[in-house]
Amino acid sequence: MSELRIFDETHPEAPIGNYTDHADIARELALMGVRFEQWEASRPLAADADQDAVLSAYREDVERLNRAYGFQSVDVVSLRPDHPQKDELRARFLNEHTHDDFEVRFFVDGQGMFYLHAAGRVYAMLCTQGNLISVPAGVTHWFDMGENPSFKCIRFFTTPEGWVGHFTGSGIDQAFPTLDAMSA
């Protein structure tokens, strides 16, 4: 189940808001310009579905977003607990960063936690199967896939370079509980 916890940036030990209703989550995130949607698959997917199968299942939604935003590339990223580079990949995304482009992810399977840092607050957004999140360009954030990642996401890019992060070095990402700690 999706969940949004909002923290004062100076108090990572206690959330000041907690939401599980999709409409409430979407409303809170929209205040920062973050888009949050719930999608349905157009057909069931096997656990080992490859990129072509995933993109085929979500073809109508992918095409709708491509038309609306002019995405130049779309791909599928999938990580499981046995991935040989899971620790390196996790470490890379755990550092607060921004993008010149907006970051759009649709969770086909599994879960991951986006931490959005804006206006003196940290928004810890647990994204689960069926969630689409779009983080605007320039919004500082980080992502935690957990110690044993298990997710499959469709990623959308408007630039041919794909994912390019500008790391802030603020250290705030180290102060907040990880996905695993919040799920315990």
Side-chain angles (χ1 to χ4, degrees):
M1 173 172 55
S2 307
E3 182 176 8
L4 172 64
R5 296 180 193 179
I6 302 173
F7 298 83
D8 179 286
E9 69 183 4
T10 62
H11 294 286
E13 69 284 352
I16 56 176
N18 191 14
Y19 304 90
T20 57
D21 178 73
H22 175 79
D24 292 337
I25 292 170
R27 182 191 68 243
E28 290 295 320
L29 294 177
L31 296 173
M32 292 184 297
V34 174
R35 180 178 185 166
F36 183 73
E37 296 179 1
Q38 183 69 34
W39 287 7
E40 293 289 333
S42 57
R43 65 183 167 117
L45 290 169
D48 62 347
D50 65 6
Q51 177 166 297
D52 290 338
V54 171
L55 293 177
S56 177
Y58 292 93
R59 176 168 283 124
E60 289 179 20
D61 291 310
V62 168
E63 289 175 357
R64 176 177 53 86
L65 286 181
N66 282 346
R67 282 190 305 273
Y69 297 103
F71 293 118
Q72 293 187 27
S73 65
V74 178
D75 69 10
V76 175
V77 62
S78 180
L79 265 79
R80 298 289 176 233
D82 61 350
H83 192 284
Q85 293 178 306
K86 69 178 183 178
D87 295 333
E88 294 134 35
L89 291 169
R90 182 179 187 220
R92 178 180 182 194
F93 300 120
L94 272 175
N95 295 302
E96 185 184 56
H97 59 276
T98 65
H99 302 284
D100 294 335
D101 194 6
F102 57 106
E103 182 169 351
V104 182
R105 300 291 180 267
F106 170 64
F107 283 79
V108 173
D109 187 30
Q111 67 178 12
M113 182 87 74
F114 273 90
Y115 296 80
L116 309 158
H117 182 202
R121 294 195 168 156
V122 172
Y123 299 75
M125 181 63 233
L126 177 63
C127 293
T128 60
Q129 183 178 9
N131 292 160
L132 175 124
I133 188 167
S134 176
V135 179
V139 172
T140 54
H141 64 281
W142 64 96
F143 177 75
D144 188 4
M145 60 185 75
E147 291 180 21
N148 293 298
S150 181
F151 69 91
K152 189 176 293 187
C153 286
I154 299 175
R155 305 185 305 173
F156 298 84
F157 302 102
T158 59
T159 61
E161 298 84 34
W163 193 95
V164 177
H166 306 289
F167 296 95
T168 68
S170 73
I172 192 167
D173 44 61
Q174 301 300 310
F176 282 82
T178 65
L179 167 63
D180 297 312
M182 283 204 219
S183 298

